[in-house]
């Protein structure tokens, strides 16, 4: 098989694995079903290994296929990078990007950055979906996602944007009246602002390498984060939030972080996108843009 045909075969193999059927792969590749079938058969013959187990109803990767898929993705991604590097760097990004992010983080940081991006690049059109759930980018037709926390989806490429902490805060005036806690256990007797959807305990505390949770109580509960932060900033009690959620109030000294030495390790913020897709210039441009924009969470 000629070298260029081998790259095409790799692309076909990756598409079959990604799309889940030969018919869908043919559609994605813009070719016919018989052509995809012939390409796969020739590629398996070239490798001397079966990449898929095929029945009349389904197609599934073999163990050899799973191992080879990761290598193919790396080769295809490297080829895409090489081709992109040869294109002019001054070309204006254009087209559509579909982006998702957590609701409050998206409202505070992602949406303003996307707005500035399209203002700088009039040929771009962006759709921003804010959801507090993990979204399957491929299934929901999304190009990019912002994720907070550890990533488990091996089908995604992740680039770091920074880190956030889980922090306990209160107003300086509240701390003067009630005292600054020296240990999380002191929160058991304090008024704590809680989230309705969350457990009746506050976790993410660590002491001597061991994690622990505390049952907390208070006279205020909310089903959204922003009013809980606002109540905390009004002096209603202690609150536990992600550091980005209270960053503006902390910077203005309206809220003070306490119990820092009992915090758990920071969580990563990442921008993620599907593996083995040759990134269009618009996607690469946005990744570079938002990494330069969101810098306040880097150590």
């Amino acid at each position: 098989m000629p070298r260029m045909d081998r790259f095409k075969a790799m692309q076909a193999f990756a598409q079959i694995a990604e799309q889940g059927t030969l018919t869908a792969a043919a559609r994605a590749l813009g070719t016919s079903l018989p052509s995809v079938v012939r390409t796969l058969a020739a590629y398996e013959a070239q490798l001397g290994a079966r990449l898929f187990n095929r029945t009349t109803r389904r197609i599934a990767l073999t163990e050899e296929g799973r191992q080879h898929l990761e290598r193919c993705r790396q080769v295809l991604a490297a080829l895409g990078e090489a081709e992109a590097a040869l294109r002019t760097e001054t070309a204006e990004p254009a087209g559509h990007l579909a982006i998702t992010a957590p609701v409050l983080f998206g409202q505070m940081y992602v949406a303003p950055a996307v707005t500035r991006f399209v203002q700088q690049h009039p040929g771009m059109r962006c759709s921003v979906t804010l959801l507090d759930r993990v979204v399957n980018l491929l299934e929901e037709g999304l190009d990019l996602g912002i994720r907070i926390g550890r990533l488990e989806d091996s089908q995604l490429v992740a680039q770091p944007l920074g880190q956030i902490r889980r922090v306990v805060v209160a107003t300086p005036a509240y701390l003067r009246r009630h005292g600054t806690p020296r240990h999380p256990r002191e929160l058991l007797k304090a008024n704590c602002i809680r989230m309705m959807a969350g457990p009746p305990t506050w976790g993410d505390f660590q002491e001597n390498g061991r994690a622990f949770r505390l049952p907390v109580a208070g006279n205020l509960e909310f089903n959204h984060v922003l009013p809980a932060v606002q109540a905390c900033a009004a002096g209603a009690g202690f609150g536990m939030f992600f550091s980005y959620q209270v960053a503006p109030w902390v910077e203005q000294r309206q809220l003070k972080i306490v119990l820092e030495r009992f915090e758990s390790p920071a969580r990563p913020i990442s921008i993620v996108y599907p593996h083995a897709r040759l990134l269009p210039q618009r996607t690469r441009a946005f990744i570079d843009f938002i990494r330069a924009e969101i810098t306040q969470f880097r150590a």
Side-chain angles (χ1 to χ4, degrees):
M1 184 181 294
R3 184 172 298 276
M4 288 307 297
D5 286 350
R6 187 172 299 174
F7 281 122
K8 290 180 181 178
M10 284 185 180
Q11 289 178 313
F13 166 57
Q15 278 293 344
I16 296 167
E18 185 173 303
Q19 300 294 332
T21 69
L22 294 166
T23 301
R27 190 182 306 117
L29 292 165
T31 187
S32 67
L33 176 60
S35 175
V36 170
V37 172
R38 286 194 300 270
T39 299
L40 177 60
Y43 193 43
E44 288 180 323
Q46 175 78 23
L47 296 172
R50 179 176 287 274
L51 300 175
F52 294 99
N53 288 318
R54 298 184 282 281
T55 67
T56 55
R57 293 190 176 183
R58 63 189 298 268
I59 184 168
L61 284 164
T62 63
E63 181 59 33
E64 292 80 7
R66 280 191 291 272
Q67 294 176 7
H68 189 59
L69 179 60
E70 288 305 312
R71 298 188 182 97
C72 278
R73 284 171 168 166
Q74 293 169 9
V75 171
L76 292 170
L79 177 61
E81 292 288 330
E83 290 177 345
L86 292 176
R87 301 188 189 108
T88 175
E89 294 295 327
T90 59
E92 181 67 14
H96 178 249
L97 277 180
I99 303 158
T100 185
V103 175
L104 190 54
F105 189 83
Q107 291 171 338
M108 295 176 69
Y109 301 102
V110 179
V114 172
T115 300
R116 290 189 289 272
F117 179 71
V118 297
Q119 287 174 331
Q120 289 188 23
H121 304 290
M124 285 299 308
R125 182 170 62 89
C126 292
S127 303
V128 181
T129 303
L130 303 182
L131 296 167
D132 283 331
R133 64 176 173 85
V134 177
V135 177
N136 186 307
L137 301 184
L138 290 172
E139 288 182 2
E140 303 201 26
L142 296 161
D143 300 295
L144 297 157
I146 307 297
R147 297 277 173 87
I148 295 173
R150 188 168 61 88
L151 301 173
E152 297 181 356
D153 192 340
S154 62
Q155 291 187 323
L156 299 178
V157 178
Q159 294 198 33
L161 291 179
Q163 294 183 322
I164 59 168
R165 299 147 53 203
R166 193 80 160 163
V167 297
V168 177
V169 294
T171 63
Y174 189 89
L175 294 173
R176 284 194 297 270
R177 288 197 307 272
H178 299 278
T180 300
R182 291 173 294 179
H183 191 280
R185 282 192 297 269
E186 295 179 44
L187 297 175
L188 295 174
K189 299 178 181 179
N191 196 57
C192 297
I193 300 165
R194 299 194 301 112
M195 302 303 300
M196 291 179 185
T201 59
W202 279 0
D204 287 340
F205 293 119
Q206 285 207 341
E207 186 175 25
N208 300 323
R210 298 182 64 182
F212 64 96
R213 305 184 67 89
L214 290 172
V216 296
N219 59 7
L220 278 174
E221 289 184 324
F222 296 92
N223 71 331
H224 285 285
V225 172
L226 183 56
V229 174
Q230 291 170 333
C232 191
F238 289 97
M240 174 175 266
F241 306 101
F242 285 124
S243 53
Y244 79 83
Q245 295 170 337
V246 295
W249 290 268
V250 172
E251 289 169 6
Q252 296 170 18
R253 300 186 178 181
Q254 294 176 287
L255 287 173
K256 180 178 174 61
I257 297 175
V258 299
L259 301 171
E260 290 183 79
R261 73 185 186 92
F262 295 97
E263 291 176 10
S264 60
R267 306 178 187 202
I269 308 171
S270 308
I271 184 165
V272 298
Y273 50 91
H275 249 305
R277 283 189 174 178
L278 303 182
L279 289 182
Q281 187 194 14
R282 59 182 178 273
T283 307
R284 295 163 57 87
F286 179 75
I287 291 171
D288 292 342
F289 181 87
I290 200 166
R291 292 191 70 194
E293 283 275 303
I294 300 180
T295 59
Q296 57 266 59
F297 303 107
R298 297 179 191 169

